[in-house]
Amino acid sequence: MSHTAVDLARLSAMDARDAMRLLQGVRAAALAGTRPPARPRPEIAESWRRMLAGGVHPDRDARARVLSAAETEERRHLSPLRQVLPVLREGLLPSLDGALHIMVVADPDGRLLWREGAPPILRKADRLGFSVGADWGEAVVGTNGVGTALVARRPVQVFSAEHFVSSHHEWTCTGAPVHDPRDGSLLGVVDVSGPLATMHPATPAWVNAVAKLAERELRIRHLESLERLRAVSAPVLARLGGRALAVDAHGWTAAATGLAPADRVPLPKGFGPGRVWIHPLGECTAEPLPGGWLLRLDREQEPAGAGRVVLDVRRPRDWSATVCGAGGSWSQELSPRHAELLFLLAESPRGRSAAELAEELFGDPTRTVTVRAELSRVRRTLAGVLAHRPYRFADDVEVEVLRPADPLTLLPHSTAPSVIRARLGRPGAGVVP
């Protein structure tokens, strides 16, 4: 094969052992810093860079402490994914026994909480340490369908020697992240794994479709909870004069009186009862309601403008924007896409058009509808901070970007060219070709 990128469709058409030997050659060249027989897929190359920079041993099967039964049960109880296990089982399990796969559900830390499937494959997985309670975060066990999907925040298939650690080369695994529709936070990963010969290029689309069904179920449950909050708050709001709204614990509006309700208001960290400043509402009095909060705006006031924004992208999975102004400060957690967009705008003070942002994000300047929709959501949250025509931070807003100490961990899910350039501005040793 010429020095072209590895392609899953081509690999699946090859004999499994031949495909494994090819990928072992690619991996060996990456470790040695020599020219490989084919280029690794971009998401695999990015993961290998992280493994080399993080000191993961390519031939040592490192395993972290397995959770006790009590610890596992506690995590299961706290995980919102327990609510959608029936959806995951219905979408995946009927096809697993014949295909000799297993289904695994992991939390955001990469801890395996549930595992089901063909008994022979479960026994093989046990020998690999792929068992309930185990830590399959990428930094612990290398490139894999659970840990790498958590970092990349998108579906990832890892075939044979694309696994960084050699003891995993007899396996293929496909993971897809599941996000909380209320705030975009990462809830975990659903993964389908099996022996080498079970790899199929359609598996990522299948697993991701089931993950999206799980997110849809969570969204339905959220809407039902807002209906319950609306029913509880309606008589309270009817008795109040002035302006007030009822929101759930994530800031989603259930009902309002005296003002046009926003879909969601950003609740500050450490939010609790009493006086609180909420952008863009201003000073509010917060009172608890069953399933949420009552926010009362006691007097007419002009929302204070923002003077400074701190974009914090130091951590691999958690990003935030902190807005500081005369009325106080507040922080908003960011979804992966919104973190990308704000980083791109911070890198270009003069602004970018929707087409330019689409080119940067997707390599396709025609995808302006998606960009405009996402920026509309950001601007609803960051009112007074962002301007448009072109899209940019407002002229009177000072912007500071807090970057990770290791550039390779900058927004690791992102494939945007500007982010990749920033990430590789100070490449470490052993970078994958």
Side-chain angles (χ1 to χ4, degrees):
M1 186 182 292
S2 62
H3 190 66
T4 57
V6 171
D7 179 80
L8 281 178
R10 184 183 302 176
L11 287 174
S12 65
M14 299 172 63
D15 175 81
R17 293 290 164 182
D18 290 340
M20 181 173 72
R21 282 190 287 271
L22 169 65
L23 291 172
Q24 285 175 333
V26 174
R27 173 179 170 276
L31 294 174
T34 59
R35 182 181 176 87
R39 293 194 308 275
R41 292 183 294 134
E43 62 268 33
I44 300 300
E46 288 293 322
S47 177
W48 287 356
R49 286 189 184 101
R50 293 192 294 270
M51 300 307 94
L52 291 166
V56 175
H57 198 288
D59 298 307
R60 187 175 300 152
D61 190 355
R63 301 182 188 182
R65 182 182 66 85
V66 176
L67 298 176
S68 68
E71 290 171 320
T72 299
E73 193 55 40
E74 181 180 4
R75 290 199 181 214
R76 284 176 169 177
H77 177 73
L78 294 174
S79 174
L81 293 180
R82 75 184 188 282
Q83 303 171 24
V84 294
L85 278 177
V87 174
L88 299 175
R89 286 170 175 146
E90 183 179 348
L92 296 173
L93 288 181
S95 302
L96 295 188
D97 285 339
L100 294 178
H101 285 92
I102 58 175
M103 178 191 81
V104 167
V105 180
D107 69 10
D109 297 326
R111 291 287 186 172
L112 308 190
L113 299 185
W114 292 277
R115 192 189 69 160
E116 301 179 34
I121 309 304
L122 291 174
R123 288 192 291 270
K124 289 184 178 180
D126 285 338
R127 293 193 290 271
L128 195 65
F130 199 55
S131 56
V132 170
D135 186 348
W136 275 68
E138 192 186 60
V140 175
V141 296
T143 308
N144 72 92
V146 172
T148 303
L150 286 172
V151 174
R153 295 213 172 204
R154 59 181 180 273
V156 172
Q157 186 171 59
V158 183
F159 176 61
S160 183
E162 290 181 325
H163 289 90
F164 189 75
V165 179
S166 57
S167 59
H168 306 162
H169 289 182
E170 295 287 340
W171 284 75
T172 178
C173 53
T174 303
V178 181
H179 296 92
D180 191 329
R182 296 172 298 182
D183 58 10
S185 62
L186 187 60
L187 299 178
V189 162
V190 57
D191 171 89
V192 167
S193 294
L196 187 62
T198 62
M199 195 275 285
H200 193 282
T203 304
W206 168 45
V207 176
N208 190 49
V210 175
K212 294 301 181 185
L213 285 175
E215 292 177 351
R216 180 176 179 273
E217 174 67 19
L218 290 170
R219 177 60 175 160
I220 290 171
R221 289 171 178 260
H222 179 224
L223 293 175
E224 291 172 346
S225 72
L226 285 177
E227 285 295 332
R228 291 191 294 271
L229 178 58
R230 186 172 296 117
V232 168
S233 62
V236 177
L237 292 173
R239 294 193 300 267
L240 291 176
R243 300 179 297 159
L245 66 164
V247 300
D248 70 5
H250 294 267
W252 289 93
T253 303
T257 183
L259 73 164
D263 290 339
R264 186 183 181 196
V265 296
L267 300 182
K269 293 180 180 178
F271 179 77
R275 298 292 296 174
V276 62
W277 190 86
I278 298 177
H279 181 86
L281 300 176
E283 288 288 335
C284 300
T285 299
E287 302 172 17
L289 288 172
W293 295 91
L294 174 69
L295 303 178
R296 291 192 290 111
L297 287 70
D298 293 336
R299 63 183 186 276
E300 294 292 331
Q301 54 186 323
E302 290 295 325
R308 186 164 177 265
V309 174
V310 179
L311 178 62
D312 189 345
V313 292
R314 289 175 293 182
R315 292 171 294 279
R317 294 207 308 250
D318 301 304
W319 315 285
S320 66
T322 299
V323 180
C324 307
S329 65
W330 58 275
S331 294
Q332 174 67 36
E333 293 182 359
L334 301 173
S335 70
R337 181 66 75 212
H338 293 172
E340 280 181 308
L341 282 167
L342 292 179
F343 180 80
L344 293 177
L345 293 179
E347 291 289 283
S348 181
R350 289 184 292 182
R352 300 188 186 196
S353 67
E356 289 171 333
L357 286 170
E359 175 69 32
E360 277 296 328
L361 285 173
F362 310 114
D364 181 357
T366 67
R367 294 186 61 179
T368 55
V369 172
T370 300
V371 168
R372 290 193 178 101
E374 291 291 349
L375 281 167
S376 178
R377 296 186 185 100
V378 178
R379 292 179 69 208
R380 281 201 297 269
T381 300
L382 299 179
V385 171
L386 295 179
H388 65 296
R389 298 181 181 175
Y391 292 108
R392 66 194 187 280
F393 282 97
D395 295 338
D396 57 348
V397 173
E398 176 190 353
V399 181
E400 179 184 4
V401 179
L402 303 180
R403 300 169 181 253
D406 180 359
L408 290 175
T409 63
L410 172 67
L411 301 175
H413 66 282
S414 178
T415 57
S418 287
V419 176
I420 292 174
R421 286 194 294 270
R423 192 184 296 149
L424 299 179
R426 291 187 286 120
V431 171
V432 177

